[in-house]
Amino acid sequence: MNAFQKNVPDQTFETLSQQGEFTRLAVSPGIINKHYTPAQFQKIAEIVGEKGAIKYSASYSIIVSVPTSAAAQAVQALQEAGLHIAPAVPNIVMKACDFCDGEKMEAVHITEQLYHTLERIQVPSRVRVNVNGCASACYNPSFDDIGLVYQNESFDVYLGAIPMGAKAQAGTLFAKRVGVEQIEGFVLQIISLYQEYARPHEPFYKFYRRTKSTEYWEIVKDSIK
Ligand code: SF4
């Protein structure tokens, strides 16, 4: 049995950082696609080699640690292998379900559009937006800062989740049936409130829970009527 006590890694991100300067890259097959090809796994192994380290994360990506001096080359090689590398300091992190491995693609176009709209926006603290393609909500969108659940050409929007820690809690339904054509503007209004009224570095859930009875949230809700 080697799954527990006897299986402590020698080479961790921590031990590497004591040896020199290392850069961490969050690698995935895409925002939607969760399947790696064997060739992509081989490429990751080749790039990390004996010097780096690999570990999986809770955010649907593999984190690789490579010497900083080789990081730019590593990014290029991983991208050439068809892999997605998340921005180094993402402000708004886009997550999504796998859309039934491509079987339920209705919300994919708008998910991609949202990704491009949100990717460079600066916010007080990292915000995770999680889009799921149907009411089954397999990838737990209500446990991310802004959870979007698609059904029938519209989204239900969940806000206020405490994503981790002893007090972790799902968000609550903020708005129901926001049309596909309205969702981008709707999310941007939410982000604008966060930019304008949050305290420095205030996490999104704290901001939302502190302010949710203020009038400006009602104005956002009314904007879809
Ligand atoms: S949430 Fe719906 S569309 Fe997405 S993977 Fe689950 S069942 Fe498929």
Side-chain angles (χ1 to χ4, degrees):
M1 180 60 143
N2 67 358
F4 298 101
Q5 288 100 321
K6 291 183 182 167
N7 196 11
V8 176
D10 297 326
Q11 191 142 304
T12 66
F13 289 0
E14 195 52 43
T15 56
L16 286 181
S17 64
Q18 288 160 12
Q19 295 166 24
E21 230 183 282
F22 280 77
T23 296
R24 295 175 191 184
L25 304 171
V27 180
S28 68
I31 304 293
I32 290 164
N33 182 12
K34 310 289 190 260
H35 283 76
Y36 293 84
T37 66
Q40 287 174 331
F41 258 19
Q42 281 169 344
K43 181 56 74 178
I44 292 169
E46 179 193 314
I47 287 167
V48 172
E50 295 296 317
K51 290 186 178 162
I54 308 173
K55 90 179 187 182
Y56 67 81
S57 76
S59 57
Y60 319 153
S61 59
I62 283 178
I63 314 290
V64 302
S65 185
V66 293
T68 299
S69 57
Q73 271 172 289
V75 168
Q76 192 181 343
L78 291 165
Q79 285 173 335
E80 282 170 7
L83 291 159
H84 172 71
I85 318 297
V89 189
N91 285 288
I92 299 184
V93 179
M94 193 81 180
K95 298 167 73 177
C97 74
D98 60 33
F99 294 90
C100 290
D101 289 331
E103 295 285 323
K104 285 190 187 177
M105 297 287 276
E106 292 97 325
V108 168
H109 178 70
I110 184 66
T111 302
E112 186 175 351
Q113 192 178 315
L114 276 172
Y115 173 80
H116 292 302
T117 300
L118 300 176
E119 67 178 335
R120 298 195 193 283
I121 295 180
Q122 300 288 318
V123 280
S125 185
R126 183 178 293 184
V127 172
R128 290 177 177 81
V129 178
N130 189 344
V131 185
N132 277 211
C134 79
S136 296
C138 311
Y139 283 71
N140 293 326
S142 61
F143 273 90
D144 279 298
D145 296 306
I146 301 177
L148 305 177
V149 179
Y150 175 84
Q151 45 186 330
N152 301 325
E153 293 291 315
S154 65
F155 288 91
D156 290 346
V157 179
Y158 293 82
L159 299 182
I162 303 176
M164 60 185 83
K167 293 182 180 165
Q169 211 174 64
T172 51
L173 184 63
F174 174 69
K176 231 179 146 36
R177 300 207 178 272
V178 183
V180 165
E181 69 293 347
Q182 296 172 302
I183 193 65
E184 182 180 318
F186 194 76
V187 170
L188 285 172
Q189 286 187 73
I190 293 168
I191 298 291
S192 294
L193 292 182
Y194 183 42
Q195 289 170 316
E196 189 167 349
Y197 297 110
R199 294 169 179 152
H201 309 298
E202 186 176 31
F204 183 83
Y205 75 86
K206 283 194 179 169
F207 162 68
Y208 178 66
R209 287 169 181 237
R210 176 173 65 77
T211 64
K212 66 181 177 182
S213 55
T214 55
E215 194 193 359
Y216 47 69
W217 289 107
E218 290 308 312
I219 294 171
V220 175
K221 279 186 195 170
D222 288 347
S223 71
I224 55 164
K225 287 180 181 162

